[in-house]
C-alpha cells in the first residue's frame, strides 16, 4: 500500500487549532463583485459612436454566417439575442443586428484602463476575468455600499466613457456577491447598470426566486444532475444543503455549494 505524505500546507491545516475550522458567520457585507455589462459589445460602442444605440453582435471573424455571436449589446439582448448564439439565429431574431469582428487588443486596453480607474477608488482583490472582478470592502464600503457603487460608476463614466456600464453586487462573501451582481443586472427596466445589496440579515429571501443555474458553478449538466437528485429550487437552507451534497449525483461541486449555504442564517 502506498505511503501517503502530507505537504507543508496540509500539515499546517491539519495541525491548526480546531476552532479555525469553524465557518465564521459574517455580520455584514464584506465583498463587492463587479461585472461589466455586455463587455465586448459595449467597448465596441464606446470606441465607435456609430454603433451606439444599435443592436451589436461581436463575432470571431468577418465574412461568414457559420459562426456565433460571442457577445451582444443590450439593444441586441432586447431582441432575445444571447451570447454564443449562431449568427443565423441572431439575424432571425434581430434582422438589423450589426455584426462586428472581435478586436482583442481593444478589449485588453479597455480592461487595463477600467481596472486602473477602479483601483483609484477601491483596491481590487481578484480579477476573475476580462470583465469581472471582486473587492474586499473597508468600513466605509460596508456602511454605505450605494455611495461606493455611485462613486465607482461616476469615476468610470468620467474617465473611460459612459457607454461601458457595469453592475455591482454586495454581499457577505464573493459567491453571494456574484449572484447579487447578476440579479442587479436584471432588476432594472433596462438590462445592466445595476446595484444589488444582499445584507446577511436579508438572506435567504433573495435566493428563493433564483433558478438553480443562477448559482455560480451550476451549469446545464449540474442542473440536470440536481434535478435527478430531487433538488429543484435554490432554497438552500441547512436541510436543502444536506440534500445538495448527498449522494454521488452532485460530486465535489455539491460540497462547494453546501459551503456557500452555510453562510445563511438558520431558519
Ligand atoms: Mg459581463
Amino acid at each position: 500500500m502506498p505511503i501517503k505524505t502530507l505537504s507543508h500546507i496540509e500539515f499546517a491545516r491539519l495541525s491548526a487549532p480546531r476552532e479555525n475550522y469553524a465557518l465564521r458567520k459574517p455580520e455584514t457585507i464584506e465583498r463587492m463583485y463587479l461585472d461589466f455589462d455586455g463587455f465586448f459589445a459595449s467597448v465596441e460602442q464606446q470606441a465607435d459612436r456609430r454603433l451606439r444605440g444599435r443592436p451589436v453582435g461581436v463575432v470571431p471573424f468577418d465574412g461568414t454566417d457559420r459562426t456565433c455571436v460571442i457577445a451582444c449589446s443590450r439593444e441586441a439582448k432586447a431582441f432575445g439575442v444571447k451570447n454564443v448564439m449562431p449568427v443565423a439565429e441572431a439575424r432571425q431574431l434581430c434582422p438589423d443586428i450589426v455584426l462586428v469582428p472581435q478586436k482583442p487588443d481593444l478589449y485588453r486596453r479597455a480592461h487595463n484602463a477600467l481596472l486602473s480607474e477602479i483601483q483609484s477608488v477601491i483596491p481590487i482583490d481578484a480579477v476573475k476575468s476580462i470583465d469581472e472582478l471582486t473587492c474586499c470592502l473597508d468600513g466605509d464600503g460596508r456602511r454605505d455600499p450605494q455611495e461606493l457603487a455611485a462613486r465607482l460608476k461616476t469615476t468610470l463614466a468620467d474617465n473611460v466613457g459612459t457607454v461601458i456600464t457595469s453592475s455591482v453586487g454586495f454581499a457577505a462573501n464573493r459567491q453571494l456577491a456574484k449572484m447579487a451582481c447578476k440579479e442587479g443586472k436584471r432588476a432594472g427596466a433596462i438590462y445592466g447598470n445595476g446595484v444589488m445589496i444582499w445584507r446577511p440579515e436579508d438572506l435567504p429571501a433573495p435566493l428563493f426566486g433564483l433558478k438553480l443555474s443562477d448559482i455560480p458553478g451550476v451549469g446545464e449538466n449540474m442542473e440536470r444532475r440536481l434535478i435527478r437528485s430531487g433538488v429543484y429550487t435554490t432554497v438552500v437552507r441547512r436541510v436543502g444543503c444536506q440534500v445538495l451534497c448527498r449522494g454521488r449525483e452532485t460530486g465535489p461541486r455539491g460540497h462547494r455549494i453546501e459551503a456557500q449555504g452555510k453562510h445563511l442564517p438558520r431558519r
Side-chain angles (χ1 to χ4, degrees), residues 70-261:
I70 53 172
C72 54
S73 67
R74 64 164 59 87
E75 295 85 358
K77 282 189 170 106
F79 283 89
V81 180
K82 292 192 172 101
N83 295 348
V84 203
M85 176 181 266
V87 165
E89 200 180 332
R91 279 197 201 278
Q92 257 178 8
L93 291 168
C94 179
D96 293 332
I97 192 165
V98 184
L99 298 175
V100 181
Q102 63 170 339
K103 301 183 195 71
D105 208 48
L106 178 66
Y107 312 144
R108 201 161 27 236
R109 279 184 281 133
H111 168 84
N112 291 338
L114 292 161
L115 257 57
S116 102
E117 291 302 329
I118 291 168
Q119 288 271 29
S120 73
V121 176
I122 181 171
I124 296 171
D125 177 45
V127 177
K128 306 304 288 179
S129 71
I130 193 155
D131 73 331
E132 294 182 29
L133 56 94
T134 175
C135 304
C136 293
L137 297 175
D138 61 7
D140 288 344
R142 291 175 189 198
R143 261 189 305 279
D144 195 350
Q146 284 285 9
E147 190 277 334
L148 171 61
R151 195 147 41 93
L152 263 174
K153 285 170 187 261
T154 309
T155 304
L156 293 172
D158 290 349
N159 301 326
V160 183
T162 53
V163 182
I164 305 172
T165 59
S166 57
S167 295
V168 193
F170 295 92
N173 63 37
R174 189 191 287 173
Q175 180 92 328
L176 286 169
K178 183 179 168 84
M179 291 160 75
C181 176
K182 199 171 170 188
E183 268 302 282
K185 240 182 227 293
R186 301 186 290 214
I190 51 163
Y191 174 85
N193 209 8
V195 178
M196 184 62 75
I197 304 162
W198 286 355
R199 297 185 188 279
E201 63 268 27
D202 302 331
L203 293 175
L207 302 176
F208 293 163
L210 303 186
K211 292 184 295 199
L212 285 174
S213 55
D214 289 331
I215 300 173
V218 178
E220 272 176 38
N221 288 339
M222 169 65 93
E223 190 174 23
R224 264 198 296 275
R225 272 150 52 199
L226 286 168
I227 289 169
R228 260 205 318 265
S229 304
V231 180
Y232 303 100
T233 72
T234 49
V235 182
V236 279
R237 297 178 202 213
R238 288 193 77 94
V239 174
C241 292
Q242 282 161 18
V243 174
L244 275 177
C245 73
R246 194 181 60 201
R248 284 170 301 174
E249 290 289 355
T250 55
R253 280 201 192 162
H255 291 278
R256 284 213 292 277
I257 295 163
E258 185 217 8
Q260 169 194 334

